[in-house]
């Protein structure tokens, strides 16, 4: 169910979720928001599930890094609110890039390969979108775009 969610509550819930997921792991976690005091139009349970998937992916990506880092960012663009999960892991190989949103495709043992495909579908039902790209010099940038209210 699409509802109007005040941004301040949404962001504090996102940060709490990220902190709980990396608790006990030696990951340098940063967060920053640069946004107007908007509301977003979204299905709150779906949004938290999507962010959970993105954070889990980032944690897995940095698990073998010497100095693992994850950053949770939020900012606005005209008509949109963007949440990014950035990591300094190895990034996405060109070979698997086209398969990222394919159901049941995974590179991780013991995972179903459904997280990104389900996340993309849920976001499209909210007129949002999910983008994944490599960062320079290393890592991944996962961006979730939502409409503002």
């Amino acid at each position: 169910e699409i509802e109007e969610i005040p941004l301040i509550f949404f962001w504090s819930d996102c940060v709490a979720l990220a902190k709980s997921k990396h608790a006990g792991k030696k990951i340098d976690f940063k967060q920053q928001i640069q946004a107007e005091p908007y509301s977003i139009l979204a299905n709150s349970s779906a949004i938290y599930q999507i962010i959970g998937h993105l954070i889990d992916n980032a944690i897995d990506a940095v698990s073998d890094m010497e100095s693992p880092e994850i950053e949770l960012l939020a900012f606005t663009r005209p008509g949109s609110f963007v949440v990014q999960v950035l990591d300094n892991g190895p990034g996405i190989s060109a070979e698997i890039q086209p398969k990222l949103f394919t159901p049941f495709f995974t590179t991780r043992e013991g995972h179903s390969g459904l997280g990104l495909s389900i996340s993309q579908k849920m976001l499209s039902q909210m007129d949002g979108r999910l983008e994944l790209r490599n960062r320079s010099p290393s890592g991944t940038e996962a961006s979730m775009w939502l409409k503002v209210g």
Side-chain angles (χ1 to χ4, degrees):
E1 177 183 326
I2 304 290
E3 59 187 311
E4 195 169 328
I5 307 167
L7 191 54
I8 191 72
F9 299 125
F10 171 77
W11 185 249
S12 64
D13 288 346
C14 289
V15 171
L17 176 64
K19 286 182 177 180
S20 72
K21 285 189 168 287
H22 86 275
K25 296 177 175 66
K26 303 255 189 263
I27 298 172
D28 182 19
F29 174 74
K30 299 174 185 157
Q31 60 94 12
Q32 181 179 2
I33 185 169
Q34 300 170 336
E36 307 281 325
Y38 289 113
S39 293
I40 56 171
L41 300 173
N43 175 322
S44 60
S45 63
I47 290 301
Y48 296 123
Q49 183 178 347
I50 294 164
I51 290 174
H53 285 305
L54 299 179
I55 292 167
D56 287 343
N57 287 349
I59 289 170
D60 284 349
V62 301
S63 63
D64 294 330
M65 303 304 293
E66 190 172 310
S67 299
E69 297 175 12
I70 295 175
E71 191 168 1
L72 189 62
L73 299 176
F75 54 90
T76 54
R77 292 292 180 258
S80 296
F81 175 67
V82 184
V83 175
Q84 290 184 323
V85 179
L86 312 175
D87 69 62
N88 69 336
I92 305 165
S93 73
E95 178 184 310
I96 68 165
Q97 185 87 34
K99 303 173 190 173
L100 289 174
F101 297 106
T102 303
F104 305 107
F105 174 77
T106 185
T107 59
R108 301 180 323 194
E109 193 173 317
H111 289 264
S112 67
L114 290 172
L116 290 175
S117 63
I118 289 171
S119 296
Q120 183 183 49
K121 183 173 181 160
M122 287 189 294
L123 274 170
S124 70
Q125 291 170 344
M126 294 179 269
D127 292 325
R129 69 182 192 272
L130 183 60
E131 298 173 351
L132 291 161
R133 63 181 61 144
N134 283 317
R135 297 176 63 205
S136 183
S138 70
T140 302
E141 172 187 296
S143 302
M144 178 179 72
W145 293 70
L146 297 165
K147 285 188 171 183
V148 293

